[in-house]
Amino acid sequence: MLKLKLANIKKTYKNGEVVTALKDISIGFRENELVSILGQSGCGKTTLLNIIGGLDQYDSGDLIINGLSTKKFKNSDWDAYRNHSIGFVFQSYNLIGHQTVLQNVEIAMTLSGVSAPERKQRAKQALTEVGLADHLNKKPNQLSGGQMQRVAIARALVNNPDIILADEPTGALDSHTSVQVMDILKEISRTRLVIMVTHNGELAEEYSDRIIRLLDGEVQSDSNPITEAEVVNGSAKQPERQKFKKTSMSLFTATLLSFKNLLTKRGRTIITAFAGSIGIIGVALVLALSNGLSNYMNSMQSDALSSFPITIGTGEQTIDLTEGPPGGPEGNNDTAGYTEYPKENIVYSYDKEKNSKQHSNIITQDYLNYVEKVETELPTAVNNISYTHGVNINLLAKGQDTTVKFETMSVPSGGMGMMENNNTYWQELPENNDFILSQYDLIGEGSRMPNGKNEVVLVIDKYNRIDKEFFEKMGIMNNLENYQFSDFIGKTILKVVPNNDYYTKNGDLFTVAAPQDYEKLYDKDTGTKLTITGILRPKEDVSSSYMLPGIAYTTSLIDTVVEEEQKSEIAIAQQDTDKNVLLGTPFTDDKAKEHALVMLGAVTTPTGINIYPKDFESKEQIKEYLDKFNNGKDDDDQLIYSDRAETISSITGTLLDTVTYVLTGFAGISLLVSTIMIGIITYVSVIERTKEIGILRSVGARKKDISRVFNAETLIIGFTAGTLGVVITYLLTIPINSIILNLTSISGIASINPVHAVSL
């Protein structure tokens, strides 16, 4: 029965000159016979064998397999054909040195999708049939030449192919072993087609069913050619088309193959991986330093700026309306925008008033109610909310020999109207004691937090210091450099005097108490005397102070003062007149009168709001909440807040970004070097293993499968290099951090991010 047919096959090679290897070859082969192809070197024997085996492609003609033309075969079809229909036996055995005998035989089945248990069972059976049952786990270099050829035969048979192609199977064997191999091939030819290329005419005459002689790419003789009757009968019985199952090598198989190859070159693999890891170490160290520096700066920035409040003040600020290029819709430059740093040699004239506007926050009761709800809406974001009141507190201090006025007025700072302490040493305590005690320690015997309106606390810096001007304001003039905690804790040396006592009415005007009246006012029963209940000092691990050194009072005190002063005689009188009741002169405008009413306590609306976030991240949540209030409102009705922390962080952020970009650039160079090194390693590996590539292709491996093998090897080396690099980097961070700690007192500056480590 006709199994294989070559119809007018031609094959030429172009290598400077055109060489014709096969000239119009037409041969048929039966289903089971041992065919020997003889001829001189260069006559086209191996080319013919390679074309039959699908390792090489013909230029013209047709190769017909079981009645199926191969003219339209794709690469995948040829791969499947070699895997399922062809078994190769080579002169040089072509066994993979780093695989065992059993694994060499299994290799073809790994491409056929055969399960691992079945592969092993079939491979053992094939090796048993060729007499190698006792050598399953040996490596090829532990076998004799005859044994290695029998392994090659077992590999060719294990996938039960239709055709066995043998290229000089006895060329490297002695006569005794050659006979053994030929006996095996003869036995195989009883059930399938065996085509053998050989120079040994004696063995061919003894064992072959048919001998074909080639000369210069043409058939010279055929001892048992296919007859016309066989062609007709065979053609009638052959199927019109036979489909081959596609071959595929799994990533696991490819990885296992590569891993075993690398194990045969352990020394080189380790050295290569270490060389590759040098680039990884460079990248990892840069990322570790960048990450540590980033964490340190973020931590430092967060600690330093988290206590900075978001401030809403009532003062005016100038808003710049300049934007876009010059030239308005009607060419009016007064209202047009301008480009920053223009290239033109032009000096523009513009109207400042038309290109900017004044905005004043108007704090309404609705806004106060909205702000109060922030603690409910964002319970984990807000530490404290404090309100600034413009009322002038009449505070007297009982000094050593005299009673003095303790100035408490805050000075407006910035366009937002934020009220900042200007050496007044007088500030309001947050209501949240836990928040204060998280940043400050109570020091001194009997020291405690104030509880009511008549109690205050003394704040000192981390050096236990307060500016000498504070003592002068308190009337302590003994010029001592040091004081005992007991000089303050439990002492009552301050008193808030109400307006009705501090201001005296004379006709339509009021006069301020004179210094000689201070002691009398201090001893008077009215007013609120203040007792210092404790001393607060910043904790050691806090990088910034929430409060300035001086006296801190409770919210209940300012609430009481505002409530009382609103009803005072001078406050009521000031509301009823457009003249200043202290000076008797008219106010220049409504804002001047408003300011006087606020100072006297007639207007109780806060002049500023300070919202203190719990941490740096909470600021954004609070800002989003405040922005929602302005949605849909006119510009004049909106309230604008300020955040000094944002201004400062933008500066440090720019610095950090610059450092990060520079470090990333260095990391990129190191990574490029590592990538090139891995590429070179892979290229060298491909060159070294051309034999293995040929073996895999001969058993049906696709080009994709070959790529997968080397990709797997690259992955193994890369992963090993990455693992070594990360481990070494972790070890290097120990001395690096120790050195930096000794030089700068900063700990943990080299800290590799686990995400970076896994990625590398």
Side-chain angles (χ1 to χ4, degrees):
M1 186 179 295
L2 193 64
K3 181 67 178 178
L4 184 71
K5 181 180 179 182
L6 283 75
N8 306 114
I9 292 293
K10 293 182 180 180
K11 179 64 179 178
T12 59
Y13 294 100
K14 296 178 181 179
N15 186 18
E17 60 179 340
V18 177
V19 178
T20 303
L22 298 177
K23 303 174 183 177
D24 202 25
I25 295 287
S26 294
I27 312 175
F29 297 93
R30 300 175 182 89
E31 278 191 340
N32 55 298
E33 61 177 339
L34 176 54
V35 181
S36 292
I37 299 176
L38 302 178
Q40 298 176 352
S41 297
C43 70
K45 302 188 302 297
T46 301
T47 300
L48 179 63
L49 209 65
N50 287 342
I51 286 176
I52 293 173
L55 290 175
D56 206 349
Q57 306 302 314
Y58 50 84
D59 295 332
S60 63
D62 195 5
L63 176 66
I64 302 170
I65 307 161
N66 290 331
L68 175 65
S69 172
T70 61
K71 285 184 177 181
K72 297 182 179 180
F73 263 30
K74 300 177 181 177
N75 287 335
S76 59
D77 296 318
W78 286 114
D79 295 336
Y81 163 65
R82 286 195 303 276
N83 184 254
H84 294 285
S85 294
I86 300 294
F88 284 94
V89 179
F90 302 99
Q91 177 181 352
S92 57
Y93 324 125
N94 284 344
L95 302 179
I96 300 175
H98 58 81
Q99 298 254 326
T100 65
V101 167
L102 186 65
Q103 290 166 343
N104 267 279
V105 176
E106 285 186 68
I107 191 70
M109 291 183 287
T110 62
L111 300 167
S112 305
V114 180
S115 65
E118 185 180 349
R119 285 203 308 266
K120 186 167 291 187
Q121 188 271 328
R122 285 170 57 177
K124 286 181 178 178
Q125 182 179 348
L127 287 166
T128 300
E129 290 176 357
V130 296
L132 295 175
D134 297 332
H135 304 279
L136 301 181
N137 296 316
K138 290 183 178 180
K139 296 290 179 66
N141 60 5
Q142 297 174 296
L143 304 178
S144 67
Q147 288 173 327
M148 285 192 285
Q149 192 62 286
R150 278 188 276 169
V151 173
I153 293 172
R155 181 181 63 193
L157 291 173
V158 74
N159 240 7
N160 195 28
D162 300 326
I163 304 167
I164 298 295
L165 301 179
D167 188 5
E168 298 284 359
T170 61
L173 304 177
D174 58 52
S175 58
H176 176 70
T177 307
S178 297
V179 169
Q180 292 178 334
V181 170
M182 290 304 300
D183 286 338
I184 295 173
L185 292 176
K186 183 63 178 178
E187 183 64 26
I188 293 170
S189 69
R190 297 181 186 279
T191 57
R192 68 199 77 200
L193 172 62
V194 178
I195 302 175
M196 177 180 69
V197 168
T198 182
H199 284 100
N200 194 326
E202 294 180 4
L203 286 177
E205 292 288 349
E206 181 179 352
Y207 286 95
S208 300
D209 300 316
R210 176 183 176 189
I211 296 176
I212 298 173
R213 297 181 184 274
L214 294 183
L215 180 63
D216 296 333
E218 296 179 311
V219 176
Q220 293 297 304
S221 64
D222 188 344
S223 66
N224 187 14
I226 300 294
T227 65
E228 288 293 331
E230 287 178 302
V231 172
V232 172
N233 293 335
S235 301
K237 295 179 182 180
Q238 298 305 325
E240 292 184 3
R241 184 171 182 83
Q242 177 181 351
K243 292 186 177 180
F244 301 103
K245 182 181 178 182
K246 304 298 182 185
T247 60
S248 177
M249 179 184 290
S250 68
L251 180 60
F252 176 78
T253 301
T255 304
L256 190 63
L257 197 65
S258 297
F259 182 71
K260 289 179 178 177
N261 174 66
L262 292 174
L263 286 180
T264 63
K265 308 177 183 69
R266 289 185 182 88
R268 192 182 76 172
T269 300
I270 293 172
I271 293 173
T272 301
F274 178 74
S277 73
I278 293 174
I280 301 296
I281 292 169
V283 175
L285 282 176
V286 168
L287 292 175
L289 290 170
S290 176
N291 179 63
L293 180 62
S294 176
N295 290 338
Y296 172 73
M297 291 184 70
N298 287 337
S299 175
M300 181 180 66
Q301 178 175 279
S302 179
D303 291 342
L305 303 180
S306 61
S307 61
F308 279 41
I310 298 171
T311 303
I312 305 102
T314 56
E316 287 189 345
Q317 72 167 345
T318 301
I319 300 176
D320 190 4
L321 302 177
T322 302
E323 59 182 11
E330 298 180 359
N332 181 3
N333 281 348
D334 287 340
T335 58
Y338 293 86
T339 303
E340 290 184 346
Y341 310 109
K343 303 298 183 183
E344 296 85 359
N345 298 324
I346 302 173
V347 177
Y348 296 103
S349 173
Y350 83 108
D351 188 333
K352 183 177 180 181
E353 292 185 1
K354 290 184 178 181
N355 281 269
S356 62
K357 71 173 184 178
Q358 299 297 119
H359 180 84
S360 295
N361 285 333
I362 301 175
I363 299 178
T364 63
Q365 189 58 46
D366 286 343
Y367 191 72
L368 291 173
N369 295 338
Y370 184 79
V371 170
E372 287 178 0
K373 292 179 182 177
V374 69
E375 293 182 289
T376 303
E377 297 290 333
L378 303 172
T380 61
V382 181
N383 250 329
N384 185 64
I385 301 176
S386 66
Y387 299 91
T388 302
H389 292 84
V391 61
N392 185 21
I393 299 178
N394 309 310
L395 186 65
L396 300 179
K398 187 74 170 178
Q400 291 170 305
D401 302 318
T402 183
T403 302
V404 298
K405 175 73 181 299
F406 192 98
E407 295 295 339
T408 62
M409 283 302 299
S410 296
V411 179
S413 173
M416 290 301 298
M418 177 179 171
M419 306 300 284
E420 293 186 343
N421 289 307
N422 185 26
N423 291 339
T424 62
Y425 309 101
W426 180 253
Q427 57 205 311
E428 183 178 343
L429 271 174
E431 293 185 83
N432 189 339
N433 281 348
D434 292 336
F435 168 57
I436 291 298
L437 294 177
S438 69
Q439 298 198 30
Y440 288 84
D441 289 320
L442 279 168
I443 60 174
E445 185 178 355
S447 187
R448 63 175 177 82
M449 292 295 291
N451 293 321
K453 66 179 182 179
N454 61 338
E455 294 182 340
V456 295
V457 69
L458 181 67
V459 182
I460 60 178
D461 67 11
K462 63 182 179 181
Y463 301 104
N464 286 17
R465 300 180 308 178
I466 302 182
D467 185 11
K468 65 178 182 179
E469 186 179 345
F470 167 78
F471 298 102
E472 293 173 1
K473 285 179 177 289
M474 293 284 289
I476 303 174
M477 310 296 289
N478 57 7
N479 294 322
L480 293 177
E481 292 186 1
N482 302 316
Y483 299 88
Q484 299 297 316
F485 290 164
S486 58
D487 293 334
F488 301 99
I489 298 176
K491 304 301 181 182
T492 303
I493 53 178
L494 292 168
K495 179 182 181 181
V496 176
V497 178
N499 279 351
N500 286 340
D501 289 342
Y502 192 74
Y503 297 99
T504 303
K505 186 174 182 181
N506 294 311
D508 293 332
L509 298 179
F510 289 79
T511 56
V512 180
Q516 58 268 26
D517 298 326
Y518 290 165
E519 188 169 356
K520 179 180 178 182
L521 290 173
Y522 187 90
D523 294 333
K524 196 173 181 179
D525 292 337
T526 56
T528 304
K529 288 189 176 182
L530 306 177
T531 301
I532 300 174
T533 63
I535 299 175
L536 290 175
R537 182 177 64 190
K539 290 181 178 292
E540 291 185 15
D541 57 348
V542 175
S543 59
S544 63
S545 298
Y546 173 82
M547 296 180 293
L548 296 173
I551 298 294
Y553 57 88
T554 61
T555 301
S556 59
L557 173 64
I558 193 65
D559 289 342
T560 301
V561 170
V562 169
E563 182 180 356
E564 290 179 351
E565 306 304 26
Q566 185 182 17
K567 303 173 184 177
S568 66
E569 187 176 6
I570 188 173
I572 295 172
Q574 186 62 80
Q575 283 180 317
D576 295 337
T577 180
D578 291 330
K579 292 183 178 181
N580 190 315
V581 295
L582 291 173
L583 302 176
T585 57
F587 291 113
T588 56
D589 52 32
D590 291 339
K591 289 184 180 180
K593 180 178 179 179
E594 182 76 13
H595 179 68
L597 291 173
V598 170
M599 294 277 291
L600 295 172
V603 175
T604 60
T605 304
T607 56
I609 306 172
N610 293 325
I611 304 175
Y612 295 87
K614 284 185 184 264
D615 50 48
F616 205 67
E617 291 73 20
S618 300
K619 283 182 181 288
E620 296 305 319
Q621 299 179 41
I622 297 172
K623 289 179 185 179
E624 289 178 10
Y625 178 81
L626 295 177
D627 288 337
K628 289 179 183 178
F629 183 85
N630 293 329
N631 291 341
K633 289 183 171 57
D634 294 335
D635 291 345
D636 292 340
D637 295 331
Q638 294 185 7
L639 283 96
I640 303 174
Y641 54 80
S642 66
D643 182 11
R644 285 183 296 169
E646 184 176 25
T647 303
I648 298 172
S649 63
S650 66
I651 298 172
T652 58
T654 301
L655 175 62
L656 180 60
D657 288 344
T658 302
V659 173
T660 301
Y661 294 149
V662 172
L663 294 178
T664 302
F666 283 114
I669 294 172
S670 301
L671 191 60
L672 178 61
V673 171
S674 297
T675 304
I676 293 173
M677 183 176 293
I678 294 293
I680 293 172
I681 292 166
T682 305
Y683 177 70
V684 171
S685 182
V686 170
I687 291 176
E688 287 183 340
R689 295 167 64 191
T690 51
K691 177 182 175 181
E692 183 178 332
I693 293 172
I695 296 169
L696 293 173
R697 290 288 284 160
S698 71
V699 297
R702 302 168 299 168
K703 292 180 180 179
K704 184 185 295 185
D705 297 324
I706 303 300
S707 297
R708 187 170 287 171
V709 169
F710 290 99
N711 286 340
E713 186 168 314
T714 302
L715 287 172
I716 292 170
I717 294 175
F719 179 77
T720 304
T723 303
L724 277 174
V726 170
V727 171
I728 293 172
T729 301
Y730 270 116
L731 295 176
L732 287 175
T733 57
I734 298 173
I736 289 173
N737 284 329
S738 178
I739 293 170
I740 294 176
L741 179 62
N742 291 331
L743 293 175
T744 65
S745 300
I746 301 174
S747 61
I749 199 66
S751 172
I752 187 168
N753 189 319
V755 175
H756 295 161
V758 172
S759 300
L760 289 173

